Amino acid sequence: MIGKRNPTGVVLFGPPGSGKGTQAKLLTERLRLPHVSTGDMLREHIALGDALGLEVREVIKAGNLVPDPLVIRLVEDRLDRPDCEAGVLLDGFPRTIDQARMLLGMAEGRGLRLLVIHLKVDYDVITARLTGRRVCPQCGTLYNIRLKPPIVPGRCNIEGARLIIREDDKESVIRQRLVAYDAQTMPVLEFFAAHVRFFEVDGSDRKPEDLSNEIVNWIQSAADDAEFDSASGEGL
Ligand code: AMP
């Protein structure tokens, strides 16, 4: 079991629109791990209008990646908080080889086992998902006007707030985000495959709850194996 005796860093890895956010919301409750999304953290800074927010706003709007040192610092500070002692659920990090190296080093330093879930999704499905995506600005609930519409059009089922379209969910920006994914983030997969436990699922055509069950089963068995490994002194 994941816990303070067996701290685990679960990494949700995949292209934009692969369902990382949706899975993160389901998994954070089931695994009782804090959900750390670098995209959410960066958007919070943009909403605050602070120095970091001003620095990254245009980069995100254009569909490019924020420079490594900025993101790495955010993650380091976040992982230092006490709620991350038993582990963490990372969503949208790492996205470059340098970020992955830093995460591996941090995990080693803190005795954190890394388990990586790769959500594979067809790029046509991604474009359809992201162009229809709507978000509640208050509670962050995700909708899709075609695939998962709210009960009242344009309003959050929970808050009643008017749903918004993320600035980077325009079709031209989506294309650029996928270009950045192919160029900078895909190579991280090979790096992970060589260094950590790794699970691949096809999320193109699955109900989020079914996918989440499959992921939880794998995480639990991988975490239990890791506990056995460390008890027998073998490590990964
Ligand atoms: P997301 O919500 O994860 O899709 O992230 C939205 C945007 O935030 C991305 O398109 C990037 O511009 C930026 N971003 C989020 N996480 C990272 C990261 N780990 N490295 C660099 N940029 C990031």
Side-chain angles (χ1 to χ4, degrees), residues 16-17 20 37-40 42-43 56 59-61 63-68 71 75 91-96 99 133 166 168 177:
K20 298 190 296 293
S37 154
T38 42
D40 284 351
L42 292 164
R43 280 185 290 277
V56 301
V59 178
I60 292 180
K61 218 169 131 185
N64 294 318
L65 293 187
V66 168
D68 284 335
V71 186
V75 173
D91 158 9
F93 182 93
R95 267 174 149 107
T96 64
Q99 292 178 18
R133 179 155 76 175
R166 268 173 50 172
D168 54 352
R177 286 162 68 197

Side-chain angles (χ1 to χ4, degrees), residues 10-65:
V10 175
V11 177
L12 284 171
F13 189 91
S18 56
K20 298 190 296 293
T22 302
Q23 284 306 317
K25 277 201 185 308
L26 294 169
L27 293 172
T28 190
E29 282 171 27
R30 295 182 68 179
L31 301 171
R32 295 205 202 91
L33 289 177
H35 173 200
V36 172
S37 154
T38 42
D40 284 351
M41 288 196 281
L42 292 164
R43 280 185 290 277
E44 273 164 31
H45 284 279
I46 292 174
L48 285 171
D50 62 14
L52 176 61
L54 291 174
E55 199 171 339
V56 301
R57 182 171 179 178
E58 294 305 315
V59 178
I60 292 180
K61 218 169 131 185
N64 294 318
L65 293 187

Side-chain angles (χ1 to χ4, degrees), residues 23 26-27 30 117-119 199-203 206-222:
Q23 284 306 317
L26 294 169
L27 293 172
R30 295 182 68 179
I117 322 287
H118 176 205
L119 295 168
F199 182 56
E200 207 158 60
V201 273
D202 194 326
R206 301 278 304 277
K207 275 185 29 198
E209 290 75 15
D210 293 345
L211 205 55
S212 157
N213 287 338
E214 199 182 327
I215 293 172
V216 168
N217 286 341
W218 179 78
I219 289 175
Q220 295 296 16
S221 65

Side-chain angles (χ1 to χ4, degrees), residues 1-8 86 111-115 197 218-236:
M1 285 291 287
I2 295 174
K4 279 192 184 163
R5 273 190 54 232
N6 193 21
T8 306
L112 201 68
R113 295 265 169 176
L114 289 180
L115 301 176
R197 276 167 204 254
W218 179 78
I219 289 175
Q220 295 296 16
S221 65
D224 290 345
D225 281 353
E227 200 166 19
F228 174 78
D229 286 349
S230 57
S232 62
E234 287 169 23
L236 266 180

